[in-house]
């Protein structure tokens, strides 16, 4: 535990939805839901306007539509989100060499390691300047938590939402944590929380009072010991700059169960190729191939095969996944398929000439247009095609013109898809930072309308090449006075 609050946790506010609101002037201040739009789609992120109506992440999209029928429902644009995330992570990297990304929109930073802070005053100043820089560069807001440990810094950033900064003074941890519900602590999920509640423990104070022996009796030795330390506010985990991935995987959820065995095998082979693409992008290889099959009745089967040595050969992974599929009964239908590789290594034992040929194959596949996929049922970035039979014109239109995605018209310029149907696609022509645009409708096969790349959220971003020294030390703008505070 540190004597100064020099561990910073940044969490971007409603990241996907906020990025969409910044990119689309007509959606400012309105309920926005980003996720899968199919029958089995789930919500990836909801704007704060949608959250007020009860919509939240991981909720089925169908349920979200009942709660917020007038919200804008958009398909994720991961190209944009990754681009903004890279800008944010670059700013964090200028503060310290120890940055631990948790996702595209969340990270820990060790300010002391970078010389950016050594006490509460300098930590607060750095946090305020970081929020200013993020808004100047990306146009988005992020919430900052500062504390002497990772656990408390994350709790602080959650308290700071939205668009705020909370600093927890070292020495006040137990007083702060005592009245909080047990679910506040990392690793306490619904099942553990319910188990503790039945034992009469609903707050962190109850856990501290129960003692380590009682918690070990209730939840086991390893979990009980860690839970007691957290209840006392103790957390000595360091910020780790490089978190070593244990596996690489992809999975797709289908709007309609797959029954055709040939189609199921084709999907498994396609997933295997996508998995190898990610594996190679991470410059890794793996020794164990894993197949995941969720059947029509929600039963989930996992099969694995360990190879002679690490590989990043798409043919090897594809054939191994196909062999694993042969041992799975898919007669009743399949709603989800996944292929993964574990036992990762930094080298491969495959033939170099074969790898070169497969690299060409991957490159050719990458150049082929891939259909738009729904946001996943279980946290991956995409889901598979909807129907086994040939798709209708409406389904093809929805895939070609996903709601929320960018387009360009030869006469009207840049816009985004509001929706498609009955052989038509509706587009609103507007750009980030501009006025609310006009809406026009075109045939889905209009030759002058083409898909486009996302535009930057900020037209003329501040030059942060000398960050952090050149940026102002105070923040101005809506919410700043209420957002910057200390929690004793």
């Amino acid at each position: 535990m540190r004597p100064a609050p020099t561990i910073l946790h940044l969490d971007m506010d409603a990241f996907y939805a906020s990025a969409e609101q910044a990119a689309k002037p007509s959606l400012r201040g309105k309920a926005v839901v980003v996720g899968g739009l199919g029958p089995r789609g789930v919500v990836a992120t909801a704007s704060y306007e949608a959250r007020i109506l009860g919509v939240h992440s991981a909720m089925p999209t169908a349920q979200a539509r009942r709660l917020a029928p007038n919200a804008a429902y958009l398909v994720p644009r991961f190209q944009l989100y990754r681009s903004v995330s890279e800008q944010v992570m670059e700013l964090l990297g200028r503060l310290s060499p120890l940055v631990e990304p948790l996702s595209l929109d969340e990270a820990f930073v060790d300010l002391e390691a970078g010389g950016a802070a050594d006490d509460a005053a300098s930590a607060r100043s750095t946090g305020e300047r970081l929020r200013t820089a993020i808004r100047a560069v990306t146009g988005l807001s992020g919430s900052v938590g500062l504390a002497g440990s990772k656990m408390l810094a994350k709790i602080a950033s959650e308290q700071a939402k939205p668009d705020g900064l909370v600093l927890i003074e070292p020495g006040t941890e137990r007083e702060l944590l005592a009245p909080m519900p047990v679910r506040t602590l990392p690793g306490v999920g619904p099942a553990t929380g319910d188990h503790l509640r039945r034992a009469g423990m609903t707050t962190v104070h109850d856990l501290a009072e129960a003692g380590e022996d009682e918690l070990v009796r209730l939840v086991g030795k390893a979990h009980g010991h860690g839970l007691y330390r957290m209840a006392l506010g103790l957390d000595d985990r360091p910020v780790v700059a490089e978190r070593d991935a244990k596996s690489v995987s992809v999975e797709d959820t289908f709007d309609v169960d797959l029954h055709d065995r040939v189609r199921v095998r084709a999907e498994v082979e396609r997933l295997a190729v996508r998995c190898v693409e990610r594996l190679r992008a991470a410059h890794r290889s793996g020794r164990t191939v894993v197949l995941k099959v969720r059947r029509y009745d929600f039963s989930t089967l996992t099969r694995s095969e360990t190879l002679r040595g690490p590989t990043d050969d798409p043919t090897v992974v594809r054939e191994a996944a196909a062999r694993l599929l042969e041992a799975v009964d898919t007669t009743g239908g399949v709603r989800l398929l996944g292929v993964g590789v574990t036992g990762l290594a930094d080298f491969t034992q495959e033939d170099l000439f074969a790898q070169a040929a497969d690299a060409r194959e991957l490159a050719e596949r990458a150049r082929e247009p891939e259909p738009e996929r729904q946001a996943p049922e279980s946290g991956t970035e995409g889901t598979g095609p909807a129907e086994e039979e040939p798709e209708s014109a409406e389904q093809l239109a929805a895939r070609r013109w996903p709601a929320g995605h960018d387009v360009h018209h030869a006469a009207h310029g840049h816009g985004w898809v509001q929706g498609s149907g009955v052989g038509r696609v509706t587009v609103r022509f507007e750009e980030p930072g501009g006025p609310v645009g006009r809406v026009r409708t075109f045939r889905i096969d209009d030759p002058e309308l083409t898909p486009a790349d996302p535009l930057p959220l900020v037209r003329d971003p501040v030059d942060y090449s000398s960050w952090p020294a050149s940026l102002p030390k105070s923040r101005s703008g809506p919410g700043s006075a209420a957002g910057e505070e200390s929690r004793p």
Side-chain angles (χ1 to χ4, degrees), residues 11 13 79 95 110 115 119 243 257 286 308 317 328 359 372 437:
D11 196 354
D13 299 322
Q79 181 181 352
L95 289 176
D110 187 333
D119 58 15
R243 296 199 308 161
D257 292 344
R308 292 191 302 272
V317 175
V328 178
E372 177 61 36

Side-chain angles (χ1 to χ4, degrees), residues 406-441:
D406 300 86
V407 295
H408 184 272
H409 191 274
H412 303 291
H414 189 90
W416 58 278
V417 176
Q418 283 199 322
S420 61
V422 198
R424 297 287 188 268
V425 56
T426 301
V427 178
R428 185 181 289 275
F429 290 96
E430 59 187 4
E431 298 183 4
V436 174
R438 297 187 62 181
V439 175
R440 296 182 182 274
T441 300

Side-chain angles (χ1 to χ4, degrees), residues 261 291 293 295 301 303 324-331:
R261 186 74 175 186
L291 175 70
V293 180
R295 299 189 290 190
L301 303 177
R303 300 288 184 267
L324 293 170
L325 178 63
E326 295 303 318
V328 178
D329 180 13
T330 61
T331 305

